[in-house]
Amino acid sequence: TFPAWWKASHFMISKKNNNMPKTEDLLKRIGQLEKETGIKRTIFAACPNSPAVIRASLRAAKRNNAPIYFAATLNQVDCDGGYTGMTQEAFTRTVRFEAERINFTGPVIIAIDHGGPWLKDRQRTEKWSVEDAMNGVKKSFEAAVLAGYDLIHVDPTVDINVPKGEIIDINLVVKRTVELISHIEKFRKEKGLAAISYEVGTEEVHGGLADETTFDTFICGLKKGLIGVGLEDVWPCFIVGKVGTDLDTTVFDTEVASRLTSKVRPLGSYIKGHYTDDVANPEEYPLCGMGAANVGPEFTMSEYRALCELEDVEKRLEAEGKVAVLSNMRETLVKEVHDSHRWEKWLHEDELGKDLTELTADRQDWIVATCCRYIWQQPAPLAARAFLYANLERCGIDAESVVLGRIERDMDKYFRAFNLIGLNDLL
């Protein structure tokens, strides 16, 4: 139950349409179309974990005639290049160039996903102090705003100083969320830059928003905090909800999603879903009023599977005497993933301390397939891919199109399930 001062009117952002941030404008127009047609829609967000995924996302959006949303973590894209090798400016430029390449003119939203202290692997492994971690995130946010990002997910729900098994104090999450949003707004205004949108919260068990009571406490505290620093007109368009999907589950909980949606819609926000990869019932998202949903590791697996299938073709051609030297694509990827050690953070409790080779075959396959995103841009995988593509091209096979096609196919089901096909014409 919200306090008496809690009224929806406090949350409706009073901006003229021409000054409305792109994400909120898109959500508003989708809402207007729903009133006119009765069709509910959910925005599809892809995590840009490789150049191939970026290219495939734009190609799929063009073919489906729909908007595309890129949600980039600080591990993927950051001031140090992240594991994609792209800074914020390089990322926005890459997206622009790829869109121009295929003449895609539909809406493109570029966002930070999970921006908060210690959510960048380097900060966690190097055990950065609170001050250094917060300052590092602020620097990343500044670079994103300067690069033209449309939305920032503010997520200070991790604290390496909280003992294992305990959950961070939700009031501390609120305090840091307000501090980070306040910093962005001050920086943006000083630079004379356009307004941006915000996303808050997390679906992670460490995040403190896993149960609905804490969810309510967070929302109330956030509004009070923003008013307290003079940001009464700033409010997130997305609040992340724990809607049944996580690393090990793929069933979207329609009951919880509908309940959370009913809480935040009167406040001007939408629930955002994370871990939507391979979800069993994606068509339920729009029916429950979900504003958007993120999909990421699934497309790394799509890319990996396509490369492995192409390597099988390469081996058959080599046996026929049509290929001189094999690329060793799969072997290279397995070695690079293993040597990166970044796969270790995805181990289950009963797997801790084990080497990758000691895991079951299914777990090894899953870890390699999903953790390839960390090493795609390393020299050895790049060289192996170039070798594979060249071998197949010599035999009349367009390998890159095969890889992009596999990723696009796996994206198409979200455009379809989220009722996005043809939306650009209606916008």
Side-chain angles (χ1 to χ4, degrees), residues 244-258:
T245 56
D246 58 33
L247 189 63
D248 299 306
T249 60
T250 58
V251 178
F252 172 63
D253 191 324
T254 58
E255 182 179 340
V256 171
S258 297

Side-chain angles (χ1 to χ4, degrees), residues 125-139:
T125 57
E126 295 179 1
K127 302 187 187 308
W128 286 24
S129 67
V130 175
E131 182 179 5
D132 288 344
M134 286 290 283
N135 286 339
V137 172
K138 290 174 182 176
K139 181 180 178 182

Side-chain angles (χ1 to χ4, degrees), residues 3 5 36 38-39 63 72 74 138 187 220 317 325 333 402 413:
W5 58 267
E36 296 169 9
I39 298 174
R63 190 179 60 258
L74 297 181
K138 290 174 182 176
F187 179 82
C220 287
L317 292 170
V325 181
L333 293 175
V402 172
K413 66 175 179 284

